[in-house]
Amino acid sequence: MSFECLPSRVAEHAAPAGLQDVLIYLGDLQRDVLRLLTGQGLDAARGAPEGRGELSVEGSVAGLAYQYGRIVPDPGGGPGVHGWWVPLLDGTERLGVLYVTTAEDSQDVREDMLALASLVAMLVVGSRDTSDAHARLTRARRMNVAAEMQWTLMAPRTYADDRVVIGAVMEPAYEVSGDAYDYATADDIVHVSVFDAMGHDTSAGLTANLAMGACRNHRRQGTALADLGDAIEAVLLEQFGSTRYVTGILADLDTSTGMLTWVNRGHLPPVLIRDGRWTTLLHCPPAHPMGSDLHLSTTVCREQLRPGDRLVFYTDGITEARTRRGEEFGLKRFIDFLVRHHSDELPVPETLRRLIRAHLHHHDGQLQDDATIVLCEWLGPQPRPAAAGPRAGVPGPVPRD
C-alpha cells in the first residue's frame, strides 16, 4: 500500500470497529504544526477542508495530544458523538495524531483507538522512506542539499526501551550542514555520539557524514572506544588530508551498571542532570579534533550514573551562537531551561522541542551556526531476559552436514 492510500484504507477498515471520521495528521520537521494527510496531490495534502488542513502544536487540542502523548477529548463533538485526538507513535517517536469519532466512551473504545493509532504509525513508517509525498507534506519550506543528506542518514530523533530514553534535535532544520549525531545499542551497551564539522556548507555536511559513517563502521567491527576517534580520524585524513576536521564526543553507557565511558575530541563537555535540579559538566581532557592530525593522546573518562540521570550532548551552536545584538543564549540559560522542564516531567522529545523553540526565539528564528542536542536518560538496570535455547532436558536440533 502506498503512502497516498493510507487515509482511505484506514477509514474503510476502522469504520466496522466503530471508529468513524478517522483523519491522519503528521507533524512537520520542526514539530510546530500538524498537517492533514488527504492522500491527494504531490504533497498528499490537496483538498484539505478549510481550517482543518494544518493545526498548530501550540494552542490546539490536537497539539495537547501530540505534546503529552495521551488521548485528549475534542470539545467539538456533536450530540451522541465523541471526538478524540489520539497520539500517533512509532514506539516513542512522535509522528502526529489521529482524529477519531465514536458513539461511546469506554476503556475498550480507548484501547481500540490506541491499537488503530499503533497500526497507522507502522504503516506510515513503512512507507515514508520511499515517499516524496511524505517529505513534501512534513516540510514547511525548501531544504538545502546538506540538510537533505543529514536527515536521511541520522538515526530517528526519538528512541526508548526499558533502559534508556534518547531524544535529539538539529537546527536550522532546513539548512543544517556540519552537525551530526548517532546512537545504537548492542547487548547492555548504548553508544551515543555527536559531531560538529568545521564550516557551514555542503562540504561540512560531507565531513560530518563521513565521520559518522566511519564511527558506525569501526564500532560495528569491535573497535574499542579509546581507539574509535583515531579510527575516524584516519578515514578523514585519507579523504581530505588535514584540511577538514570534526570535533565530537564518543560515549558508551553500560545500562546494566550505569557506568558512562566517553572520550572528548575537542568538543564541549556533556551536561549531567541529576534529581531534576543538580547539574555538572562532565569534563574530560580533550584530544585533538578528528582530522587535525595533531597526535595528542586520547583519555578515556568514566562517570557512575544513577537511575533517572539525564545526559545532554550538544554543539556550540546552542551555547555560543549570538543574536544580532551580540547576546549569547549561553550555557547557563541552556542548563536552566533543561532543569526547569525536567522538573515538569515532560517527555524527553517534548522537552527538546520546547528548548529548541526557545533557542530559535532568542535568535529571532535565524541561527548562524548548526545547533544540535542529544539527550539520553538512563532509567536504571533491568533484569536480563532468559537466554534463548533448548529447555533443560530437551534435546536440541540434530546437526546437519
Side-chain angles (χ1 to χ4, degrees):
M1 180 167 50
S2 69
F3 179 72
E4 289 81 358
C5 289
L6 288 179
S8 60
R9 297 298 298 276
V10 168
E12 174 189 349
H13 289 278
L19 306 178
Q20 305 288 338
D21 306 314
V22 178
L23 299 175
I24 303 171
Y25 283 84
L26 299 180
D28 75 313
L29 182 63
Q30 293 177 300
R31 303 313 193 224
D32 290 331
V33 297
L34 299 161
R35 291 185 160 175
L36 178 62
L37 171 60
T38 67
Q40 303 297 318
L42 291 177
D43 61 356
R46 190 179 64 199
E50 186 175 354
R52 297 295 299 271
E54 183 173 291
L55 306 174
S56 175
V57 170
E58 298 288 339
S60 71
V61 180
L64 288 176
Y66 179 80
Q67 291 178 60
Y68 292 95
R70 62 171 184 257
I71 297 176
V72 178
D74 185 83
V81 177
H82 299 274
W84 309 96
W85 293 100
V86 186
L88 194 60
L89 304 171
D90 176 45
T92 52
E93 182 187 1
R94 302 187 299 176
L95 304 177
V97 294
L98 293 185
Y99 177 74
V100 181
T101 64
T102 63
E104 59 180 271
D105 175 11
S106 68
Q107 185 61 35
D108 287 344
V109 168
R110 293 183 179 227
E111 290 177 0
D112 285 346
M113 289 191 291
L114 290 173
L116 175 65
S118 295
L119 177 58
V120 173
M122 287 192 293
L123 294 171
V124 169
V125 170
S127 59
R128 67 181 176 183
D129 289 343
T130 55
S131 172
D132 278 354
H134 178 276
R136 291 170 183 259
L137 176 69
T138 56
R139 295 181 185 181
R141 62 178 187 269
R142 292 180 180 272
M143 179 178 287
N144 67 18
V145 173
E148 192 80 53
M149 292 190 304
Q150 298 301 79
W151 287 116
T152 300
L153 295 174
M154 292 301 105
R157 283 178 284 177
T158 308
Y159 172 83
D161 57 29
D162 59 354
R163 306 166 298 170
V164 293
V165 179
I166 299 173
V169 290
M170 293 199 306
E171 287 287 348
Y174 296 94
E175 299 169 358
V176 67
S177 53
D179 282 6
Y181 69 87
D182 194 23
Y183 61 82
T185 66
D187 196 29
D188 290 327
I189 303 300
V190 174
H191 174 85
V192 181
S193 52
V194 62
F195 303 96
D196 186 357
M198 64 171 287
H200 312 293
D201 53 14
T202 304
S203 295
L206 290 169
T207 307
N209 276 325
L210 183 59
M212 185 177 65
C215 179
R216 288 175 177 172
N217 180 256
H218 284 278
R219 191 178 71 234
R220 291 166 180 172
Q221 295 181 58
T223 300
L225 187 64
D227 303 318
L228 189 55
D230 289 338
I232 297 169
E233 178 169 67
V235 175
L236 293 173
L237 291 173
E238 180 182 4
Q239 183 64 38
F240 301 118
S242 57
T243 62
R244 313 289 303 184
Y245 65 82
V246 180
T247 69
I249 298 288
L250 311 171
D252 286 341
L253 172 60
D254 187 334
T255 60
S256 67
T257 64
M259 179 59 68
L260 175 72
T261 309
W262 81 100
V263 298
N264 185 329
R265 297 301 300 253
H267 201 78
L268 298 167
V271 175
L272 172 63
I273 302 175
R274 177 165 291 165
D275 298 328
R277 62 183 185 277
W278 180 81
T279 64
T280 188
L281 295 177
L282 297 182
H283 290 288
C284 184
H288 57 284
M290 294 165 284
S292 58
D293 199 25
L294 297 178
H295 302 287
L296 301 179
S297 60
T298 298
T299 301
V300 178
C301 295
R302 293 174 173 81
E303 180 76 20
Q304 179 62 54
L305 302 187
R306 299 178 187 173
D309 281 355
R310 286 185 171 186
L311 295 164
V312 187
F313 308 87
Y314 54 98
T315 61
D316 59 10
I318 289 291
T319 56
E320 297 178 10
R322 295 179 179 272
T323 66
R324 293 188 179 93
R325 300 179 299 276
E327 182 184 0
E328 286 186 345
F329 190 76
L331 182 61
K332 183 179 186 303
R333 192 194 308 258
F334 174 59
I335 293 175
D336 287 348
F337 190 100
L338 286 170
V339 170
R340 186 168 67 254
H341 283 75
H342 178 100
S343 63
D344 293 338
E345 298 183 351
L346 291 171
V348 165
E350 182 60 20
T351 297
L352 292 182
R353 190 189 73 85
R354 296 187 183 194
L355 172 58
I356 207 68
R357 281 177 60 88
H359 185 67
L360 285 167
H361 178 75
H362 179 78
H363 293 90
D364 300 320
Q366 299 294 322
L367 299 182
Q368 304 304 313
D369 193 6
D370 297 337
T372 297
I373 309 168
V374 180
L375 194 156
C376 177
E377 180 177 359
W378 181 52
L379 303 178
Q382 302 295 327
R384 293 181 61 88
R391 293 184 306 237
V394 179
V398 177
R400 294 174 180 262
D401 291 335

